[in-house]
């Protein structure tokens, strides 16, 4: 669930990239990086948040009118400097830079295939495998369109990618559209980014979502679209709407805030309870709680105050770090909670340890009852496509009833939104969503797992290529 951005801007890209990455900081907090091009590549990347990795002097050195950026949330590859993105390669006097959001399920198979042919890998990420395939195909065919088509035939999993080949920016999305990617127009050029909030940060104009299986080419002259593949269905990640995306983002035509507010309304209708207040687990629980409050009539009142300088605990790499961070991330407002029956609204329950700690914290602050309402259905299966749900044994809802989970997290009552109501709130048909973590049925073939696979067809790129109209 990394964040990626690519920009072509006649006024220079380093500062626009910085602002765009800042807007995408919620998508990854381990590292940040940029690559720009001005007759040669300029690169800077390091461990830490965007504001920690870059300062004005560094941005001044990142010259050029085309560039890409990345914030990393690790799903594959250790927390090592060589795994920080973008990745950069030089061959035949050309420079390739690549940044990737997603996760492949056939990384080891592809890595072994290319190692057998003599390829040496410098990192432990699936992103380098993608970059290697594309670079190899460009050397062979000389065409980026052919290289992307060849890569799409080989890659199995989720990927949204920005790619810079010298002064040209490319962006493409997997044939099922699992990971989000959108196109925007700025005063002096164009931007491609994981979420529309990056376009907003530049006071740009949202143009549209990049279509699944589409390759976008951006130069100083404008934007060209090439449809590489088509699929009979989509598999948009439901967890983008439930948790990962910022509430003010528009993902595949849907405002995330509206989805969460509607789910909150469903939570109120599905499990009404007499309570004194409804309080969100900030920030992603806020829109749910507003929807719940409006429908139930229960007063909305904050019971937990967030330290705004803390990152997301869910995307921290170890369980111990997540648990320690909860203690300083959220502080109970005792005067609001004392003697109250509280409906606590959260976006999801994954491992359950954070939920238990929060409920215990609210109870210790004086609440007499804590009823947990959850904006996602129970998560019962691992995600192989980019969210950190690695094993079933880590998931508290796996092979446990709601009552068993309720007891484990110390709640007075527990209710998850049903899958059908979540799908209704998202407004995308169930067949076009990836709900594998809820159902155990995956949109791509994963060894040992049940597959509800989508059919992917390759189209004639020369026929399907066209210039985007302004």
């Amino acid at each position: 669930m990394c964040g990626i951005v690519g920009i072509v801007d006649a006024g220079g890209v380093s500062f626009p990239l910085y602002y765009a990455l800042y807007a995408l900081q919620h998508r990854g907090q381990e590292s940040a990086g940029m690559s720009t091009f001005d007759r040669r590549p300029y690169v800077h990347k390091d461990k830490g948040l965007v504001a920690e990795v870059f300062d004005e002097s560094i941005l001044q050195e990142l010259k050029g009118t085309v560039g890409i950026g990345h914030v990393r949330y690790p799903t594959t590859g250790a927390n090592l400097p060589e795994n920080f993105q973008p990745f950069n390669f030089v061959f035949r006097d050309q420079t390739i830079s690549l940044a990737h959001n997603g996760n492949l399920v056939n990384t080891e198979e592809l890595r072994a295939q290319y190692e057998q042919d003599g390829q040496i890998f410098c990192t432990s990420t699936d992103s380098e495998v993608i970059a290697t395939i594309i670079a190899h195909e460009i050397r062979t065919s000389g065409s980026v369109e052919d290289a992307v088509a060849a890569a799409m035939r080989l890659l199995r999993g989720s990927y949204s990618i920005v790619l810079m080949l010298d002064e040209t920016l490319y962006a493409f999305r997997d044939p099922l559209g699992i990971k989000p990617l959108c196109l925007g127009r700025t005063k002096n050029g164009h931007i491609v980014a994981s979420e529309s909030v990056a376009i907003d940060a530049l006071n740009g104009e949202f143009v549209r979502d990049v279509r699944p299986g589409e390759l976008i080419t951006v130069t100083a002259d404008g934007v060209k679209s090439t449809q590489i593949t088509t699929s009979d269905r989509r598999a948009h990640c439901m967890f983008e709407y439930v948790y990962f995306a910022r509430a003010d983002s528009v993902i595949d035509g849907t405002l995330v805030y509206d989805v969460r507010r509607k789910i909150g309304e469903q939570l109120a209708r599905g499990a009404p309870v007499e309570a004194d207040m409804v309080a969100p687990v900030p920030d992603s629980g806020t829109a749910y709680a507003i929807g719940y409050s409006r429908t139930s009539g229960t007063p909305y009142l904050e019971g937990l105050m967030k330290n705004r300088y803390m990152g997301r605990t869910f995307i921290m790499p170890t369980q111990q770090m997540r648990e320690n961070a909860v203690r300083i991330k959220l502080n109970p407002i005792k005067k609001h909670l004392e003697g109250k029956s509280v409906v606590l609204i959260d976006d999801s329950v994954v491992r359950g340890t954070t939920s238990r700690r929060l409920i215990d914290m609210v109870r210790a602050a004086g609440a007499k009852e804590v009823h947990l309402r959850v904006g996602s259905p129970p998560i019962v299966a691992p995600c192989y496509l980019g969210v950190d749900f690695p094993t079933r044994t880590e998931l508290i809802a796996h092979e446990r009833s709601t009552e068993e989970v309720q007891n484990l997290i110390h709640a007075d009552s527990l209710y998850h939104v049903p899958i059908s109501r979540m799908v209704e709130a998202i407004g995308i048909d169930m067949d076009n969503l990836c709900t594998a973590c809820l159902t155990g049925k995956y949109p791509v073939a994963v060894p040992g797992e049940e597959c509800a696979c989508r059919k992917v067809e390759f189209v004639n790129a020369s026929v399907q290529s066209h210039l985007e109209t302004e």
Side-chain angles (χ1 to χ4, degrees), residues 134 138 141-149 163 165 170 215 217 228:
I134 291 174
I138 291 176
S141 69
S143 163
V144 173
E145 288 82 359
D146 290 344
V148 171
L163 170 73
L165 179 62
Y170 300 90
L215 170 67
T217 305
I228 304 293

Side-chain angles (χ1 to χ4, degrees), residues 20 276 278 353 373 386 400 462:
D276 300 307
V278 55
T353 52
R373 299 294 179 263
R400 288 191 179 97
S462 62

Side-chain angles (χ1 to χ4, degrees), residues 6 20 84 110 173 190 201 222 225 247 348:
F84 301 162
L110 293 172
R173 193 177 180 190
H190 290 86
S225 165
S348 58

Side-chain angles (χ1 to χ4, degrees), residues 229-422:
T229 68
T230 60
S231 173
D232 61 340
R233 288 183 289 175
R234 307 288 190 247
H236 302 312
C237 174
M238 73 89 194
F239 212 63
E240 290 284 350
Y241 301 95
V242 166
Y243 172 78
F244 221 91
R246 253 176 54 174
D248 50 338
S249 283
V250 176
I251 301 288
D252 289 302
T254 301
L255 178 63
V256 173
Y257 186 98
D258 285 346
V259 172
R260 295 175 185 171
R261 177 182 51 79
K262 290 175 183 177
I263 290 176
E265 294 170 358
Q266 295 292 347
L267 291 172
R269 296 188 186 105
V273 62
E274 290 293 328
D276 300 307
M277 60 182 284
V278 55
V281 176
D283 285 316
S284 51
T286 300
Y288 297 106
I290 289 172
Y292 186 101
S293 176
R294 288 180 177 176
T295 299
S296 66
T298 306
Y300 174 97
L301 189 64
E302 287 185 284
L304 296 166
M305 187 57 60
K306 182 180 179 182
N307 179 349
R308 304 295 175 185
Y309 297 95
M310 275 291 294
R312 283 182 156 181
T313 56
F314 170 72
I315 62 175
M316 290 183 174
T318 68
Q319 182 61 30
Q320 187 61 51
M321 290 176 65
R322 284 187 287 268
E323 292 185 14
N324 291 341
V326 170
R327 301 187 188 107
I328 55 174
K329 178 181 178 179
L330 296 169
N331 188 48
I333 306 174
K334 293 183 179 181
K335 287 191 177 294
H336 288 180
L337 297 170
E338 285 176 339
K340 300 290 180 60
S341 175
V342 180
V343 177
L344 192 64
I345 310 280
D346 207 352
D347 54 80
S348 58
V349 177
V350 182
R351 297 164 178 87
T353 52
T354 297
S355 298
R356 186 184 69 248
R357 287 178 177 272
L358 288 176
I359 290 169
D360 288 347
M361 186 187 300
V362 170
R363 222 183 275 283
K368 63 181 181 182
E369 293 179 354
V370 184
H371 304 273
L372 186 64
R373 299 294 179 263
V374 187
S376 78
I379 294 167
V380 298
C383 177
Y384 301 97
L385 300 172
V387 185
D388 190 16
F389 304 156
T391 65
R392 283 174 170 80
T393 56
E394 290 184 271
L395 303 173
I396 194 170
H398 176 63
E399 296 186 340
R400 288 191 179 97
S401 68
T402 298
E403 185 178 1
E404 288 174 319
V405 174
Q406 173 185 316
N407 291 334
L408 285 171
I409 63 175
H410 306 162
D412 288 290
S413 70
L414 170 63
Y415 179 75
H416 294 263
V417 69
I419 292 181
S420 60
R421 298 304 184 191
M422 179 198 71

Side-chain angles (χ1 to χ4, degrees), residues 377-378 417-424 430 435 438-439:
V417 69
I419 292 181
S420 60
R421 298 304 184 191
M422 179 198 71
V423 171
E424 180 183 318
M430 179 81 167
T435 57
L438 311 177
T439 63

Side-chain angles (χ1 to χ4, degrees), residues 35-110:
S35 294
T36 65
F37 188 86
D38 182 17
R39 295 185 295 275
R40 71 172 182 85
Y42 295 84
V43 182
H44 184 79
K45 51 187 177 177
D46 206 347
K47 182 178 180 179
L49 302 177
V50 174
E52 297 168 337
V53 172
F54 300 100
D55 59 26
E56 185 174 356
S57 63
I58 291 171
L59 293 173
Q60 294 285 5
E61 292 297 316
L62 292 168
K63 301 175 183 178
T65 57
V66 58
I68 64 174
H70 185 269
V71 287
R72 185 170 191 253
Y73 154 60
T75 53
T76 65
N79 181 11
L80 299 171
E82 56 265 30
N83 289 336
F84 301 162
Q85 297 186 39
F87 293 134
N88 301 276
F89 305 86
V90 178
F91 69 97
R92 294 180 181 173
D93 297 323
Q94 289 185 302
T95 299
I96 287 183
S97 297
L98 178 143
H100 166 222
N101 170 33
N103 205 58
L104 302 183
V105 298
N106 62 337
T107 301
E108 295 306 316
E109 171 188 332
L110 293 172

Side-chain angles (χ1 to χ4, degrees), residues 208 211 214 223-226 463-469:
R208 64 175 177 84
R211 290 183 286 268
E214 180 184 23
V223 178
K224 185 179 80 169
S225 165
T226 304
V463 173
Q464 295 294 328
S465 180
H466 66 278
L467 289 174
E468 288 287 303
T469 59

